[in-house]
Every structure is written in structure tokens, then in C-alpha cells.
Amino acid sequence: MKEIVDRYSGGSNIMVLVLDFETLDCEEAIATDITRSGCLLRDTSHTAKNKLIGLRLSGLDKMIKGKVQEILAEEVRVSFLFEDDTKREKRKEKRRTVSISASVLPGNGRGPVKCQIVDASLSGCRFFCKQLDELPDSIALRIPGMDLPVGGSIVWRANGYAGVKMNWQFSGKTEFMAAKTIRPPSLAGKVGANGSRKKTLAKQPNVIPAR
């Protein structure tokens, strides 16, 4: 973590991927002033205070759970929530209706199977799949905009629909502070989960890509 903070302290800007857990939409944003407890985000659509988001920061293979703490004039302040520092919220999660064309990775050398995610929340989602009976309980989902597949477990099936518990891999504080390898995440296909094409780094002035 010290290497990341030292490299990107001050006015340096780097590209991060920001995931909306409620819609599974993924966008590129610019992170600056990275510390051990949080960062500032520019060019993000997430401007609701206390909103939970996932961040894919350069140098980490796992996401960081974050919360929007403050809305500023041109950016938002985000605090990092580490799994080993915070307890999971027990309140009932809000589920959002979505329409996302995704792929199920059944494993065991089998190819991807098309599915349509119809609602989502932080802990899981529901999708429709014509080949549902052929899928095992343990799967991975490839969601547009995410550069890594997300593991999950099918907990119920009915009439072609499946309820999935998402096994999000969040970074713990120890992993975060020990990160040394600096490499930029990739926005898979440059397409958001809602089908819209997201902005790219080429359009952003004074942005320093991670190397």
C-alpha cells in the first residue's frame, strides 16, 4: 500500500473501475489523493451520499468496497471499507430491476452460457437462462464492464430463473497495504452493464495511467 500511496500522492490521477452493486453497471473514473483510508473520485456518476460502490484499483486483484462520504464541487470523497474492519450490514438490501446480457461460466472446461440478469443487489442477483438445467450450483458470472469474472452460487431455480449469491472478492486491509505490483485494470469491452459505451482514458486530460 505504501508504494501505491507514494506513487500516486498529491495531484496524480489514475484510472479505476467503479462498480455499482445495485445495477452491476461498471464505469471508468479518475482517482486521486489515494490514502490508506480512501480517495477522491472524478468523472463518476455516483453522487449519492452513503452509496456503496466497488473499486478496482491498480495493483490489486480484488475490489475494494467503498462508501461515498462527501459530495464536492467536481469530485466525491470515498472512504474504503475493508472486510476485516467492518461488519456486513444486516438490513434488507434493495434490489434493482436491470436488464444485463451476461455469460455464465460453468467450469470443468465447458464454454460460457448466455443469460439475462433481471435484478441485482450487493449480495446477489437473479438471471434467466434457457440452459439453466445444465448449470452446476457453483458458477462464475462474466458481467459486461468487469475485467474479472465474479464467482457465485445458485441457491434456487424456477421456470428458467435462478437466484445467485454473489461471492464478491473484497480486499482486506492487510492485502491492500501490502500491494506492490502496479498495473491498470482493463475495462472489458469498454461497455457498461446497461449496454452504454463508457468514456476512455484518451479523453481525459492530465491522467497518468498506471504502469
Side-chain angles (χ1 to χ4, degrees):
M1 175 56 196
K2 183 179 184 298
E3 288 79 3
I4 293 179
V5 174
D6 289 346
R7 180 174 178 134
Y8 297 114
S9 61
S12 296
N13 304 315
I14 62 168
M15 183 269 285
V16 295
L17 302 184
V18 184
L19 177 71
D20 186 333
F21 290 117
E22 295 180 353
T23 64
L24 298 184
D25 194 21
C26 192
E27 69 175 10
E28 285 180 341
I30 305 301
T32 188
D33 291 343
I34 299 172
T35 69
R36 292 170 175 77
S37 59
C39 67
L40 294 177
L41 279 186
R42 286 175 35 211
D43 302 325
T44 177
S45 61
H46 303 299
T47 56
K49 192 172 181 179
N50 295 324
K51 183 177 182 64
L52 291 176
I53 56 177
L55 298 173
R56 275 274 287 125
L57 185 67
S58 301
L60 291 176
D61 290 330
K62 295 182 179 181
M63 283 194 302
I64 303 170
K65 187 190 295 183
K67 177 183 284 189
V68 177
Q69 292 283 20
E70 186 179 5
I71 312 300
L72 305 174
E74 297 182 353
E75 54 205 358
V76 299
R77 186 178 302 280
V78 175
S79 63
F80 297 150
L81 304 176
F82 296 107
E83 289 294 273
D84 47 3
D85 291 343
T86 59
K87 295 181 179 180
R88 292 183 179 273
E89 295 186 12
K90 299 298 183 180
R91 64 185 180 184
K92 185 177 181 181
E93 294 176 348
K94 182 184 298 184
R95 302 190 71 84
R96 294 290 182 93
T97 299
V98 299
S99 181
I100 303 170
S101 296
S103 297
V104 180
L105 307 179
N108 296 323
R110 298 172 57 188
V113 177
K114 293 181 179 180
C115 71
Q116 192 75 16
I117 301 175
V118 296
D119 69 31
S121 70
L122 174 60
S123 63
C125 69
R126 180 167 59 104
F127 68 70
F128 176 80
C129 179
K130 293 181 179 179
Q131 298 170 264
L132 181 61
D133 291 341
E134 303 175 16
L135 299 178
D137 289 339
S138 181
I139 60 171
L141 280 174
R142 187 172 293 281
I143 301 169
M146 287 295 292
D147 57 342
L148 293 172
V150 181
S153 302
I154 296 178
V155 294
W156 61 262
R157 308 171 189 237
N159 302 317
Y161 288 90
V164 178
K165 181 182 183 299
M166 306 290 276
N167 300 322
W168 298 108
Q169 295 297 303
F170 293 118
S171 175
K173 189 171 184 178
T174 301
E175 295 172 294
F176 185 44
M177 295 183 68
K180 295 182 179 180
T181 304
I182 306 298
R183 58 185 178 277
S186 169
L187 188 64
K190 303 294 182 184
V191 178
N194 61 3
S196 62
R197 192 163 292 274
K198 298 296 181 182
K199 54 185 175 292
T200 65
L201 265 180
K203 298 181 181 179
Q204 302 297 331
N206 303 320
V207 174
I208 302 175
R211 292 186 291 272

